[in-house]
mmCIF file of all heavy atoms in Angstrom:
data_model
loop_
_atom_site.group_PDB
_atom_site.id
_atom_site.type_symbol
_atom_site.label_atom_id
_atom_site.label_comp_id
_atom_site.label_asym_id
_atom_site.label_seq_id
_atom_site.Cartn_x
_atom_site.Cartn_y
_atom_site.Cartn_z
ATOM 1 N N ASP N 129 -7.137 39.101 -11.521
ATOM 2 C CA ASP N 129 -7.200 40.095 -10.444
ATOM 3 C C ASP N 129 -6.904 41.497 -10.964
ATOM 4 O O ASP N 129 -7.553 42.461 -10.577
ATOM 5 C CB ASP N 129 -6.211 39.741 -9.328
ATOM 6 C CG ASP N 129 -6.782 38.696 -8.370
ATOM 7 O OD1 ASP N 129 -8.004 38.455 -8.421
ATOM 8 O OD2 ASP N 129 -5.999 38.108 -7.598
ATOM 9 N N GLU N 130 -5.914 41.600 -11.877
ATOM 10 C CA GLU N 130 -5.543 42.934 -12.388
ATOM 11 C C GLU N 130 -6.731 43.618 -13.053
ATOM 12 O O GLU N 130 -6.869 44.835 -12.991
ATOM 13 C CB GLU N 130 -4.417 42.850 -13.440
ATOM 14 C CG GLU N 130 -3.115 42.210 -12.984
ATOM 15 C CD GLU N 130 -3.136 40.689 -13.160
ATOM 16 O OE1 GLU N 130 -2.826 40.231 -14.267
ATOM 17 O OE2 GLU N 130 -3.469 39.966 -12.189
ATOM 18 N N LEU N 131 -7.551 42.816 -13.712
ATOM 19 C CA LEU N 131 -8.680 43.398 -14.453
ATOM 20 C C LEU N 131 -9.976 43.338 -13.648
ATOM 21 O O LEU N 131 -11.044 43.668 -14.166
ATOM 22 C CB LEU N 131 -8.859 42.655 -15.780
ATOM 23 C CG LEU N 131 -7.660 42.710 -16.730
ATOM 24 C CD1 LEU N 131 -7.916 41.856 -17.970
ATOM 25 C CD2 LEU N 131 -7.365 44.151 -17.141
ATOM 26 N N ASN N 132 -9.897 42.867 -12.403
ATOM 27 C CA ASN N 132 -11.097 42.755 -11.576
ATOM 28 C C ASN N 132 -12.115 41.746 -12.106
ATOM 29 O O ASN N 132 -13.320 41.975 -12.020
ATOM 30 C CB ASN N 132 -11.777 44.125 -11.452
ATOM 31 C CG ASN N 132 -11.615 44.664 -10.060
ATOM 32 O OD1 ASN N 132 -11.754 43.912 -9.086
ATOM 33 N ND2 ASN N 132 -11.307 45.946 -9.942
ATOM 34 N N ASP N 133 -11.627 40.632 -12.662
ATOM 35 C CA ASP N 133 -12.506 39.546 -13.128
ATOM 36 C C ASP N 133 -13.676 40.043 -13.992
ATOM 37 O O ASP N 133 -14.836 39.923 -13.588
ATOM 38 C CB ASP N 133 -13.071 38.751 -11.937
ATOM 39 C CG ASP N 133 -12.002 38.077 -11.100
ATOM 40 O OD1 ASP N 133 -10.844 37.985 -11.554
ATOM 41 O OD2 ASP N 133 -12.328 37.627 -9.988
ATOM 42 N N PRO N 134 -13.395 40.582 -15.176
ATOM 43 C CA PRO N 134 -14.494 41.128 -15.988
ATOM 44 C C PRO N 134 -15.418 40.052 -16.568
ATOM 45 O O PRO N 134 -14.983 38.935 -16.866
ATOM 46 C CB PRO N 134 -13.746 41.846 -17.124
ATOM 47 C CG PRO N 134 -12.442 41.130 -17.236
ATOM 48 C CD PRO N 134 -12.081 40.725 -15.832
ATOM 49 N N LEU N 135 -16.673 40.425 -16.752
ATOM 50 C CA LEU N 135 -17.646 39.572 -17.438
ATOM 51 C C LEU N 135 -17.194 39.377 -18.882
ATOM 52 O O LEU N 135 -16.757 40.331 -19.523
ATOM 53 C CB LEU N 135 -19.011 40.267 -17.437
ATOM 54 C CG LEU N 135 -20.154 39.537 -18.143
ATOM 55 C CD1 LEU N 135 -20.670 38.372 -17.295
ATOM 56 C CD2 LEU N 135 -21.306 40.496 -18.445
ATOM 57 N N ILE N 136 -17.296 38.154 -19.379
ATOM 58 C CA ILE N 136 -16.928 37.891 -20.787
ATOM 59 C C ILE N 136 -18.006 37.062 -21.469
ATOM 60 O O ILE N 136 -18.861 36.471 -20.800
ATOM 61 C CB ILE N 136 -15.571 37.140 -20.902
ATOM 62 C CG1 ILE N 136 -15.618 35.816 -20.126
ATOM 63 C CG2 ILE N 136 -14.422 38.018 -20.430
ATOM 64 C CD1 ILE N 136 -14.472 34.871 -20.432
ATOM 65 N N THR N 137 -17.934 37.000 -22.775
ATOM 66 C CA THR N 137 -18.806 36.105 -23.545
ATOM 67 C C THR N 137 -17.968 34.910 -24.002
ATOM 68 O O THR N 137 -16.739 34.912 -23.890
ATOM 69 C CB THR N 137 -19.367 36.807 -24.795
ATOM 70 O OG1 THR N 137 -18.266 37.062 -25.688
ATOM 71 C CG2 THR N 137 -20.041 38.132 -24.433
ATOM 72 N N ASP N 138 -18.640 33.926 -24.571
ATOM 73 C CA ASP N 138 -17.949 32.763 -25.134
ATOM 74 C C ASP N 138 -16.902 33.224 -26.147
ATOM 75 O O ASP N 138 -15.806 32.674 -26.227
ATOM 76 C CB ASP N 138 -18.924 31.849 -25.883
ATOM 77 C CG ASP N 138 -19.860 31.119 -24.949
ATOM 78 O OD1 ASP N 138 -20.290 31.732 -23.951
ATOM 79 O OD2 ASP N 138 -20.151 29.946 -25.219
ATOM 80 N N GLU N 139 -17.287 34.218 -26.926
ATOM 81 C CA GLU N 139 -16.425 34.722 -27.993
ATOM 82 C C GLU N 139 -15.046 35.129 -27.454
ATOM 83 O O GLU N 139 -14.029 34.814 -28.062
ATOM 84 C CB GLU N 139 -17.135 35.915 -28.653
ATOM 85 C CG GLU N 139 -16.514 36.377 -29.932
ATOM 86 C CD GLU N 139 -16.778 35.447 -31.124
ATOM 87 O OE1 GLU N 139 -17.150 34.276 -30.925
ATOM 88 O OE2 GLU N 139 -16.578 35.908 -32.253
ATOM 89 N N HIS N 140 -15.031 35.819 -26.317
ATOM 90 C CA HIS N 140 -13.742 36.221 -25.734
ATOM 91 C C HIS N 140 -12.931 34.992 -25.333
ATOM 92 O O HIS N 140 -11.733 34.906 -25.608
ATOM 93 C CB HIS N 140 -13.956 37.093 -24.495
ATOM 94 C CG HIS N 140 -14.666 38.381 -24.771
ATOM 95 N ND1 HIS N 140 -15.994 38.575 -24.506
ATOM 96 C CD2 HIS N 140 -14.214 39.533 -25.304
ATOM 97 C CE1 HIS N 140 -16.342 39.808 -24.858
ATOM 98 N NE2 HIS N 140 -15.283 40.410 -25.349
ATOM 99 N N ALA N 141 -13.587 34.049 -24.676
ATOM 100 C CA ALA N 141 -12.869 32.864 -24.197
ATOM 101 C C ALA N 141 -12.273 32.091 -25.368
ATOM 102 O O ALA N 141 -11.142 31.604 -25.297
ATOM 103 C CB ALA N 141 -13.820 31.978 -23.388
ATOM 104 N N LEU N 142 -13.030 32.000 -26.468
ATOM 105 C CA LEU N 142 -12.559 31.257 -27.649
ATOM 106 C C LEU N 142 -11.451 32.033 -28.354
ATOM 107 O O LEU N 142 -10.402 31.492 -28.689
ATOM 108 C CB LEU N 142 -13.723 31.014 -28.619
ATOM 109 C CG LEU N 142 -14.855 30.137 -28.067
ATOM 110 C CD1 LEU N 142 -16.042 30.138 -29.031
ATOM 111 C CD2 LEU N 142 -14.359 28.705 -27.842
ATOM 112 N N MET N 143 -11.709 33.327 -28.549
ATOM 113 C CA MET N 143 -10.772 34.180 -29.298
ATOM 114 C C MET N 143 -9.392 34.201 -28.656
ATOM 115 O O MET N 143 -8.378 34.169 -29.325
ATOM 116 C CB MET N 143 -11.351 35.601 -29.327
ATOM 117 C CG MET N 143 -10.473 36.607 -29.985
ATOM 118 S SD MET N 143 -11.010 37.145 -31.612
ATOM 119 C CE MET N 143 -12.753 37.168 -31.618
ATOM 120 N N PHE N 144 -9.371 34.282 -27.309
ATOM 121 C CA PHE N 144 -8.086 34.435 -26.635
ATOM 122 C C PHE N 144 -7.562 33.108 -26.068
ATOM 123 O O PHE N 144 -6.600 33.087 -25.315
ATOM 124 C CB PHE N 144 -8.197 35.521 -25.557
ATOM 125 C CG PHE N 144 -8.604 36.851 -26.157
ATOM 126 C CD1 PHE N 144 -9.826 37.423 -25.840
ATOM 127 C CD2 PHE N 144 -7.782 37.484 -27.095
ATOM 128 C CE1 PHE N 144 -10.222 38.623 -26.437
ATOM 129 C CE2 PHE N 144 -8.176 38.669 -27.688
ATOM 130 C CZ PHE N 144 -9.399 39.247 -27.362
ATOM 131 N N GLY N 145 -8.243 32.016 -26.418
ATOM 132 C CA GLY N 145 -7.725 30.700 -26.092
ATOM 133 C C GLY N 145 -7.830 30.322 -24.620
ATOM 134 O O GLY N 145 -7.071 29.484 -24.136
ATOM 135 N N TRP N 146 -8.777 30.931 -23.903
ATOM 136 C CA TRP N 146 -8.911 30.602 -22.475
ATOM 137 C C TRP N 146 -9.619 29.264 -22.284
ATOM 138 O O TRP N 146 -9.414 28.583 -21.303
ATOM 139 C CB TRP N 146 -9.653 31.722 -21.734
ATOM 140 C CG TRP N 146 -8.933 33.035 -21.795
ATOM 141 C CD1 TRP N 146 -7.572 33.219 -21.819
ATOM 142 C CD2 TRP N 146 -9.507 34.346 -21.861
ATOM 143 N NE1 TRP N 146 -7.273 34.559 -21.889
ATOM 144 C CE2 TRP N 146 -8.431 35.276 -21.913
ATOM 145 C CE3 TRP N 146 -10.816 34.835 -21.878
ATOM 146 C CZ2 TRP N 146 -8.650 36.651 -21.972
ATOM 147 C CZ3 TRP N 146 -11.031 36.198 -21.938
ATOM 148 C CH2 TRP N 146 -9.945 37.101 -21.994
ATOM 149 N N ALA N 147 -10.492 28.918 -23.234
ATOM 150 C CA ALA N 147 -11.180 27.627 -23.180
ATOM 151 C C ALA N 147 -11.664 27.287 -24.576
ATOM 152 O O ALA N 147 -11.839 28.172 -25.414
ATOM 153 C CB ALA N 147 -12.368 27.685 -22.217
ATOM 154 N N GLU N 148 -11.886 25.988 -24.806
ATOM 155 C CA GLU N 148 -12.412 25.552 -26.097
ATOM 156 C C GLU N 148 -13.936 25.483 -26.022
ATOM 157 O O GLU N 148 -14.503 25.458 -24.932
ATOM 158 C CB GLU N 148 -11.838 24.180 -26.443
ATOM 159 C CG GLU N 148 -10.328 24.234 -26.658
ATOM 160 C CD GLU N 148 -9.766 22.867 -27.032
ATOM 161 O OE1 GLU N 148 -10.494 22.077 -27.665
ATOM 162 O OE2 GLU N 148 -8.613 22.613 -26.680
ATOM 163 N N ALA N 149 -14.560 25.393 -27.208
ATOM 164 C CA ALA N 149 -16.029 25.411 -27.254
ATOM 165 C C ALA N 149 -16.626 24.267 -26.440
ATOM 166 O O ALA N 149 -17.583 24.457 -25.686
ATOM 167 C CB ALA N 149 -16.503 25.361 -28.705
ATOM 168 N N TRP N 150 -16.034 23.077 -26.571
ATOM 169 C CA TRP N 150 -16.608 21.941 -25.841
ATOM 170 C C TRP N 150 -16.428 22.133 -24.328
ATOM 171 O O TRP N 150 -17.273 21.720 -23.535
ATOM 172 C CB TRP N 150 -16.005 20.608 -26.301
ATOM 173 C CG TRP N 150 -14.589 20.342 -25.829
ATOM 174 C CD1 TRP N 150 -13.442 20.656 -26.480
ATOM 175 C CD2 TRP N 150 -14.197 19.718 -24.599
ATOM 176 N NE1 TRP N 150 -12.350 20.271 -25.737
ATOM 177 C CE2 TRP N 150 -12.771 19.692 -24.588
ATOM 178 C CE3 TRP N 150 -14.881 19.168 -23.514
ATOM 179 C CZ2 TRP N 150 -12.046 19.147 -23.525
ATOM 180 C CZ3 TRP N 150 -14.160 18.625 -22.454
ATOM 181 C CH2 TRP N 150 -12.757 18.618 -22.469
ATOM 182 N N GLU N 151 -15.327 22.809 -23.956
ATOM 183 C CA GLU N 151 -15.101 23.048 -22.525
ATOM 184 C C GLU N 151 -16.146 24.033 -21.977
ATOM 185 O O GLU N 151 -16.685 23.828 -20.880
ATOM 186 C CB GLU N 151 -13.689 23.588 -22.297
ATOM 187 C CG GLU N 151 -12.608 22.537 -22.599
ATOM 188 C CD GLU N 151 -11.194 23.079 -22.449
ATOM 189 O OE1 GLU N 151 -10.935 24.245 -22.839
ATOM 190 O OE2 GLU N 151 -10.343 22.325 -21.942
ATOM 191 N N LEU N 152 -16.441 25.065 -22.741
ATOM 192 C CA LEU N 152 -17.455 26.030 -22.301
ATOM 193 C C LEU N 152 -18.818 25.339 -22.163
ATOM 194 O O LEU N 152 -19.558 25.587 -21.213
ATOM 195 C CB LEU N 152 -17.551 27.206 -23.278
ATOM 196 C CG LEU N 152 -16.296 28.078 -23.362
ATOM 197 C CD1 LEU N 152 -16.485 29.153 -24.434
ATOM 198 C CD2 LEU N 152 -15.964 28.726 -22.017
#
Side-chain angles (χ1 to χ4, degrees):
D129 278 346
E130 301 87 85
L131 299 176
N132 251 318
D133 298 346
L135 179 76
I136 57 167
T137 67
D138 289 38
E139 191 74 342
H140 298 101
L142 297 171
M143 177 106 34
F144 301 114
W146 299 327
E148 295 181 30
W150 74 268
E151 292 177 321
L152 295 176

